[in-house]
Amino acid sequence: MNVSSVASTTTYTASSATDTSALEKQKAKLESELEKVSSSKDDEKTKAAKTKQIEAQIKQIEAQIAQKAQNSSSSASSTGKAPEKPVNNNAIVAASAQDIATATTDSEGRFDIRV
């Protein structure tokens, strides 16, 4: 049986870039629609309603783009940090490399790792 590794971070980054690109295209399309609405021959009330709706969609897309940018920058900055120890002292967690390096053995030869 062959097992191949998958680079999930590369896939996520490419997917994120594609998503952002699609959002940018959608935003540009909405902006062109906004221009069409402003130059249309509809009455002012109709123009205002359409404009308000399109502007809300543009704001939503801008928020999604900002969120994706924030997520990609926070995931890039957090990769260099060691994970923090959990606050809950009753939880069972895996020992870190430092904990394992400083482990001792008890009188019966068993490892004694205090996290």
Side-chain angles (χ1 to χ4, degrees), residues 84-94 114-115:
E84 295 182 21
K85 291 187 178 182
V87 176
N88 185 356
N89 292 332
N90 296 331
I92 298 174
V93 295
R114 310 268 170 144
V115 180

Side-chain angles (χ1 to χ4, degrees), residues 48-99:
K50 288 180 180 179
T51 301
K52 185 176 180 180
Q53 182 182 12
I54 292 171
E55 287 175 346
Q57 289 174 343
I58 291 172
K59 285 182 183 180
Q60 185 179 15
I61 290 172
E62 288 173 344
Q64 289 174 351
I65 292 170
Q67 181 69 37
K68 288 191 182 296
Q70 183 180 7
N71 288 346
S72 65
S73 68
S74 66
S75 66
S77 65
S78 66
T79 55
K81 294 181 180 179
E84 295 182 21
K85 291 187 178 182
V87 176
N88 185 356
N89 292 332
N90 296 331
I92 298 174
V93 295
S96 68
Q98 183 179 4
D99 293 332

Side-chain angles (χ1 to χ4, degrees), residues 96-113:
S96 68
Q98 183 179 4
D99 293 332
I100 293 171
T102 58
T104 58
T105 56
D106 62 8
S107 61
E108 296 176 8
R110 294 179 293 215
F111 280 108
D112 183 21
I113 300 176

Side-chain angles (χ1 to χ4, degrees), residues 21-33:
S21 175
L23 288 171
E24 290 285 351
K25 287 179 184 177
Q26 192 175 5
K27 179 183 169 190
K29 184 178 177 182
L30 287 170
E31 288 172 341
S32 68
E33 282 184 38

Side-chain angles (χ1 to χ4, degrees), residues 23-52:
L23 288 171
E24 290 285 351
K25 287 179 184 177
Q26 192 175 5
K27 179 183 169 190
K29 184 178 177 182
L30 287 170
E31 288 172 341
S32 68
E33 282 184 38
L34 192 60
E35 289 176 17
K36 288 178 186 176
V37 167
S38 64
S39 64
S40 72
K41 295 183 180 183
D42 292 335
D43 62 280
E44 293 302 315
K45 187 175 181 180
T46 305
K47 282 184 184 182
K50 288 180 180 179
T51 301
K52 185 176 180 180

